[in-house]
Amino acid sequence: MIMRILGEGQYEIAAEHMDRLNELDTGLQSAAEAGDETAFATALSALLDAVRSLGTPLPDEEITPSDLVLPDEDTGLTQVRELLSEEGLIPG
């Protein structure tokens, strides 16, 4: 799966890492639903850090469609709430 972090770049994520990313996404969704700004910021940072550490960065000159676009760390709670589905930011 190819994930883009807005303003940063794309990462290729192996299927074996999706369970961990979905766990972090669930925490993000819970914090967003609770309206807890501090927990939300922590959860978003953890999710993005995991994508960066588990994923393989794609070269900037490689143009590949993204399967999923994630907000950057500066995106606020209200904006992310608009992006969340019943499955969070990451389907599955």
Side-chain angles (χ1 to χ4, degrees):
M1 171 178 276
I2 305 296
M3 292 187 183
R4 171 178 296 284
I5 298 175
L6 286 177
E8 185 173 322
Q10 291 180 301
Y11 296 84
E12 185 170 6
I13 307 294
E16 65 201 43
H17 300 302
M18 291 307 297
D19 285 343
R20 176 66 182 137
L21 294 177
N22 277 316
E23 288 173 17
L24 293 168
D25 186 41
T26 298
L28 175 71
Q29 186 171 14
S30 295
E33 288 172 355
D36 185 334
E37 291 275 354
T38 303
F40 164 78
T42 300
L44 179 57
S45 181
L47 176 61
L48 297 178
D49 286 346
V51 169
R52 292 180 192 112
S53 66
L54 298 174
T56 302
L58 296 180
D60 290 337
E61 58 276 354
E62 185 175 324
I63 299 174
T64 304
S66 299
D67 298 306
L68 185 65
V69 178
L70 298 172
D72 64 18
E73 289 189 60
D74 294 329
T75 305
L77 174 61
T78 303
Q79 292 170 304
V80 171
R81 277 185 173 162
E82 294 172 8
L83 300 173
L84 289 171
S85 70
E86 287 182 15
E87 296 182 332
L89 290 174
I90 301 173

